[in-house]
Amino acid sequence: MIGISYHKDYDKYDLGTDHPLIGDKPTKFMKFIEEKKIIEYCDIFTPKKADVKYLLKVHTKEYVKRIEELSKTGGRLSLDTPAPKGIFEYACLATGGTILAGVKLFDKYNITVNPLAGFHHAGISSSSGFCFFNDIAVVIEYIREQYNIKKFMIVDLDVHHGNGTQEIYYSDPTVLSISFHQNGNTLYPGTGFIEEIGEGEGKGFNVNLPLPPGTGNLNYLKAFDSIIPALSSQFKPEIIIYQSGVDTHHADPLADLNLTYQTYYNLALRMKEISNSTCNKLLVLFGGGYNSTSCIKSYYNIFCGLLGEKGFIKENVFPDYSGGKIDKLIDEIKTQLSLYWNF
């Protein structure tokens, strides 16, 4: 069984009809897995809003207060991130959903999912990229405190670099943060280059793979298989957080990596195998994606992969448009990390 943390008010995390982030995906996903008759393999839990005291373990008091104030009147957090009325409540609810999903991993569940989550652009005292609170970091700090867990691994496969998460854990060797994303020279937020490997005690524990536009399925999976299994087997995490953004899909309007549906199934299978071989605790956060139809089908395929169900959706595979850059990139990242990890 998979545990799902879901609230009917998730859809109210909506930044407007003229904005890429429209809040229809969580409920559409739940209806889709019901139609496909795999919801019977799930237990559904209703989260509560995260307490501010847990937000403050990651964010500054001034930052949290600013969002709370913007939420009263409506306003703008940053150039690309409007703050509509009530957003503080809904952002707290989404974060509370991630906390609940994390807690359930210490109950009887080996895999849990939050379909409104993965807000990796939120940093310590600022944010953009449609994010308000970094639920990834909040759940890490909650679990660290409540369950005395000491080693966390983040695998962030959203098309955008997880710059907020990187900022929070850049010097922390207890968090191995891995981000696969489209190259920052071609896409927001313009960060996440291979040289960004952490600092101080955290050096070597921040891993970026900036992929070229047109990467495609086979190259993406090759990069995954070349980097992530080796790191996970050496780090030996006690819990894995899988930010499974699907804005890498070819139909997404904001990016250009050209993945297709079956890749999400294959990635989820791999993440489940890595979890099974290390900690048997996999927290799955459905991250970005801005084409509603492709998002729901991609999330469904992730879910099928987590369950090992064969009824996943397929489509034609795109050729490699990356100009043969992947092998060179993999070699470069291994060189960057060679002082810290064996490949």
Side-chain angles (χ1 to χ4, degrees), residues 25 114-115 117-118 158 243-247 285-290 295 299:
K25 293 183 294 182
N114 184 6
D158 192 280
Q243 206 276 27
S244 59
V246 296
D247 36 13
L285 308 178
F286 286 173
Y290 305 99
C295 279
Y299 292 148

Side-chain angles (χ1 to χ4, degrees), residues 180 194 207-212 215 218-228 324-338 343:
F180 278 40
I194 61 174
V207 178
N208 288 304
L209 203 79
L211 297 158
T215 287
L218 296 179
N219 282 326
Y220 198 100
L221 292 171
K222 178 194 289 187
F224 183 102
D225 292 339
S226 298
I227 302 295
I228 293 181
K325 298 176 182 177
I326 296 299
D327 289 337
K328 182 180 177 183
L329 180 62
I330 291 169
D331 288 342
E332 287 175 350
I333 193 66
K334 287 181 177 181
T335 299
Q336 284 288 330
L337 298 171
S338 61
F343 291 99

Side-chain angles (χ1 to χ4, degrees), residues 17 138 186:
T17 55
V138 172
T186 66

Side-chain angles (χ1 to χ4, degrees), residues 17-209:
T17 55
D18 58 347
H19 191 278
L21 198 159
I22 298 172
D24 62 348
K25 293 183 294 182
T27 296
K28 281 185 174 180
F29 166 72
M30 297 299 289
K31 289 180 178 177
F32 196 76
I33 63 171
E34 185 173 2
E35 290 169 6
K36 293 289 188 179
K37 302 189 186 306
I38 62 170
I39 201 166
E40 61 195 70
Y41 302 113
C42 312
D43 288 331
I44 301 169
F45 308 102
T46 304
K48 298 178 180 178
K49 293 180 290 185
D51 194 298
V52 168
K53 68 181 180 181
Y54 298 119
L55 305 179
L56 294 176
K57 291 183 180 296
V58 172
H59 302 291
T60 64
K61 185 181 295 185
E62 294 75 17
Y63 175 71
V64 173
K65 187 68 175 176
R66 181 184 173 210
I67 295 173
E68 192 170 15
E69 290 301 317
L70 283 171
S71 183
K72 292 176 182 176
T73 59
R76 189 164 288 274
L77 180 64
S78 63
L79 186 64
D80 66 355
T81 307
K85 286 185 179 180
I87 194 62
F88 179 81
E89 306 298 319
Y90 306 130
C92 285
L93 183 60
T95 305
T98 297
I99 291 174
L100 178 59
V103 166
K104 290 297 181 181
L105 290 172
F106 297 86
D107 190 354
K108 64 178 183 178
Y109 302 92
N110 300 322
I111 302 173
T112 57
V113 174
N114 184 6
L116 179 63
F119 297 102
H120 58 174
H121 297 307
I124 296 168
S125 60
S126 64
S127 184
S128 56
F130 322 155
C131 300
F132 293 89
F133 301 124
N134 193 311
D135 59 310
I136 300 170
V138 172
V139 75
I140 285 174
E141 297 311 311
Y142 184 93
I143 289 171
R144 193 194 302 273
E145 178 184 274
Q146 298 294 321
Y147 299 98
N148 197 33
I149 295 298
K150 301 185 186 305
K151 297 176 76 175
F152 302 83
M153 184 169 79
I154 301 166
V155 178
D156 187 336
L157 303 186
D158 192 280
V159 82
H160 302 97
H161 175 235
N163 58 323
T165 310
Q166 174 170 295
E167 176 200 1
I168 293 163
Y169 291 115
Y170 206 57
S171 60
D172 188 341
T174 71
V175 179
L176 174 58
S177 183
I178 307 167
S179 179
F180 278 40
H181 48 270
Q182 187 171 319
N183 190 297
N185 289 323
T186 66
L187 191 69
Y188 170 90
T191 54
F193 299 100
I194 61 174
E195 299 84 6
E196 298 167 25
I197 62 171
E199 64 185 9
E201 293 183 354
K203 207 162 189 179
F205 291 88
N206 191 82
V207 178
N208 288 304
L209 203 79

Side-chain angles (χ1 to χ4, degrees), residues 294-309:
S294 65
C295 279
I296 302 312
K297 292 180 178 179
S298 300
Y299 292 148
Y300 168 74
N301 271 15
I302 291 169
F303 213 72
C304 287
L306 297 174
L307 288 168
E309 288 289 308

